[in-house]
C-alpha cells in the first residue's frame, strides 16, 4: 500500500474568490442499501440529538462561525449515523463483526470516542452525501500527529484508520427545496415523509492514519470562506482534506482485519 495525496486545483474568480476543484475524484459506486432496521435506529437517534432536551450536537464547527439550526443538526447527525450503520452492515456481511454503532443520547459537553474498535484497532467513520469527494478534518480538531484534539485528555485521540462513507440520501436537498433546512422547527410528518423517500445506498473507502498524517504534513488545506467546486459551497471552517481517489478499496482493509489474531 503506497500513500500518496494530491492537492486540489485552486482557481480565482474575478472577485478574488478561491474556488477549489477536485483533481482526484472517485465518484459514488453503490455497494449496497442500508437495512430498514438501521434506518429507523439512525432516525430515532438523530431526532433525539437535535430536537429533544437531553440530546446535544455542537451547533458551531471547530473554527466555524455559522451556528447550525436544529433541522441542519438532524440531517448531519442522521447522515453520520447512517454511515456508521453502513460500515457495520457491510463489514458484518463480509465476515467482520464490529461493535454495534452507539445510539446513546449524549448531553452537552459529552463526547464519544472511537466509532469502532476491532481487536484493538481504533476506527473512525466520516460520512458525507453521495456527491462528496473529500474526507474533511477540521484543522482545529487535529494536531500534527493526526490525533483528535478534543479527546486528548481522555486517551481516545489516536486512530488507526478512518473510513470514508458516502450515503445516497436526498433528504438535505429536499428540505432545502422546501425552505425547511435552515429552520429550528419542523412538522414531524414532513420530516418522516422525507425520511421515507430516501434510497439509502452507500459506498465505503479506507483511509489509513498514515495517509491522514501525510495530508496534514503536506498542508492539504481548504480555508474558511473559500469555495469548493463552485460558489454554491462556501467553507465555514478550515479543513485538511483527502480526495476520494487517494483512498483505498475497502475489501483489502476487511481482509487485513480478518488476518488480525
Amino acid at each position: 500500500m503506497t500513500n500518496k495525496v494530491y492537492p486540489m486545483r485552486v482557481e480565482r474568480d474575478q472577485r478574488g474568490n478561491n474556488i477549489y476543484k477536485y483533481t482526484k475524484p472517485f465518484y459514488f459506486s453503490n455497494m449496497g442499501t442500508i437495512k430498514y432496521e438501521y434506518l429507523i435506529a439512525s432516525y430515532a437517534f438523530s431526532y433525539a440529538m437535535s430536537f429533544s432536551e437531553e440530546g446535544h450536537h455542537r451547533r458551531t464547527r471547530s473554527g466555524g462561525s455559522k451556528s447550525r439550526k436544529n433541522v441542519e443538526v438532524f440531517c448531519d447527525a442522521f447522515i453520520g449515523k447512517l454511515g456508521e450503520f453502513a460500515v457495520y452492515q457491510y463489514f458484518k456481511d463480509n465476515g467482520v463483526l464490529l461493535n454495534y454503532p452507539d445510539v446513546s443520547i449524549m448531553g452537552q459537553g459529552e463526547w464519544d470516542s472511537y466509532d469502532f474498535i476491532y481487536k484493538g484497532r481504533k476506527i473512525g467513520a466520516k460520512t458525507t452525501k453521495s456527491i462528496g469527494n473529500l474526507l474533511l478534518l477540521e484543522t482545529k480538531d487535529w494536531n500534527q500527529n493526526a490525533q483528535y484534539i478534543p479527546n486528548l485528555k481522555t486517551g481516545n485521540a489516536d486512530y488507526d484508520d478512518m473510513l470514508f462513507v458516502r450515503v445516497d440520501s436526498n433528504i438535505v436537498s429536499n428540505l432545502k427545496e422546501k425552505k425547511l433546512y435552515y429552520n429550528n422547527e419542523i412538522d414531524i410528518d414532513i420530516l418522516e415523509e422525507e425520511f421515507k423517500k430516501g434510497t439509502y445506498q452507500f459506498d465505503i473507502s479506507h483511509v489509513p492514519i498514515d495517509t491522514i498524517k501525510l495530508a496534514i504534513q503536506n498542508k492539504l488545506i481548504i480555508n474558511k470562506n473559500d469555495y469548493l467546486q463552485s460558489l454554491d459551497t462556501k467553507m465555514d471552517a478550515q479543513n485538511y482534506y483527502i480526495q476520494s481517489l487517494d483512498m483505498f478499496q475497502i475489501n483489502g482493509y476487511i481482509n487485513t482485519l480478518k488476518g488480525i489474531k
Side-chain angles (χ1 to χ4, degrees):
M1 181 183 292
T2 302
N3 282 321
K4 290 184 179 180
V5 288
Y6 292 88
M8 288 190 286
R9 184 176 74 255
V10 184
E11 298 178 358
R12 187 180 290 261
D13 70 6
Q14 293 178 342
R15 296 184 177 180
N17 296 308
N18 291 326
I19 305 173
Y20 285 70
K21 302 275 188 166
Y22 303 138
T23 57
K24 301 276 287 184
F26 177 74
Y27 294 107
F28 182 81
S29 178
N30 178 24
M31 295 172 60
T33 302
I34 302 172
K35 295 178 181 178
Y36 185 72
E37 64 184 286
Y38 302 148
L39 300 180
I40 290 294
S42 299
Y43 180 92
F45 166 82
S46 305
Y47 190 89
M49 287 297 288
S50 48
F51 294 108
S52 73
E53 291 183 2
E54 66 268 25
H56 179 83
H57 256 295
R58 286 190 302 177
R59 263 52 183 172
T60 305
R61 304 180 193 281
S62 297
S65 53
K66 177 176 172 289
S67 180
R68 295 180 294 165
K69 303 296 186 181
N70 288 340
V71 176
E72 292 178 82
V73 172
F74 167 84
C75 290
D76 288 348
F78 182 52
I79 291 172
K81 195 57 64 175
L82 287 174
E84 292 177 33
F85 274 110
V87 169
Y88 175 79
Q89 174 183 311
Y90 189 80
F91 279 50
K92 182 179 179 182
D93 290 346
N94 285 275
V96 174
L97 185 59
L98 300 173
N99 52 284
Y100 190 84
D102 186 2
V103 290
S104 58
I105 309 304
M106 292 175 288
Q108 187 169 3
E110 296 181 74
W111 300 95
D112 55 359
S113 54
Y114 310 106
D115 295 311
F116 303 101
I117 298 179
Y118 184 79
K119 295 183 178 179
R121 202 167 184 94
K122 300 160 185 174
I123 307 166
K126 291 284 186 179
T127 309
T128 189
K129 293 171 284 188
S130 59
I131 60 172
N133 274 287
L134 296 179
L135 172 67
L136 293 171
L137 301 171
E138 293 162 15
T139 57
K140 288 197 174 182
D141 282 343
W142 297 84
N143 65 22
Q144 292 299 303
N145 295 317
Q147 294 173 303
Y148 186 59
I149 294 170
N151 285 349
L152 279 171
K153 292 182 179 179
T154 66
N156 296 322
D158 294 283
Y159 286 82
D160 293 296
D161 301 277
M162 196 68 68
L163 303 177
F164 178 70
V165 191
R166 295 184 286 198
V167 175
D168 183 17
S169 169
N170 51 11
I171 191 167
V172 171
S173 57
N174 286 351
L175 289 172
K176 283 183 176 179
E177 187 176 323
K178 293 183 175 181
K179 302 189 185 308
L180 296 171
Y181 181 70
Y182 298 107
N183 289 2
N184 268 324
E185 304 293 338
I186 189 171
D187 187 312
I188 191 170
D189 292 333
I190 294 176
L191 193 60
E192 288 181 358
E193 178 185 350
E194 295 303 331
F195 162 68
K196 292 174 182 176
K197 287 180 182 178
T199 55
Y200 302 114
Q201 297 169 337
F202 65 88
D203 72 0
I204 309 170
S205 297
H206 171 220
V207 187
I209 196 65
D210 286 344
T211 301
I212 294 174
K213 289 178 181 177
L214 194 59
I216 292 172
Q217 291 165 5
N218 289 356
K219 295 182 171 57
L220 295 191
I221 292 172
I222 181 169
N223 288 306
K224 180 179 179 179
N225 295 325
D226 282 343
Y227 294 85
L228 178 60
Q229 290 292 97
S230 73
L231 294 179
D232 292 332
T233 305
K234 186 176 184 179
M235 302 301 295
D236 181 54
Q238 186 186 69
N239 285 265
Y240 298 113
Y241 67 82
I242 297 169
Q243 298 189 74
S244 52
L245 197 57
D246 290 334
M247 304 175 192
F248 298 89
Q249 293 185 358
I250 198 61
N251 288 339
Y253 180 59
I254 287 176
N255 290 335
T256 297
L257 293 184
K258 286 181 178 179
I260 298 176
K261 302 300 182 181

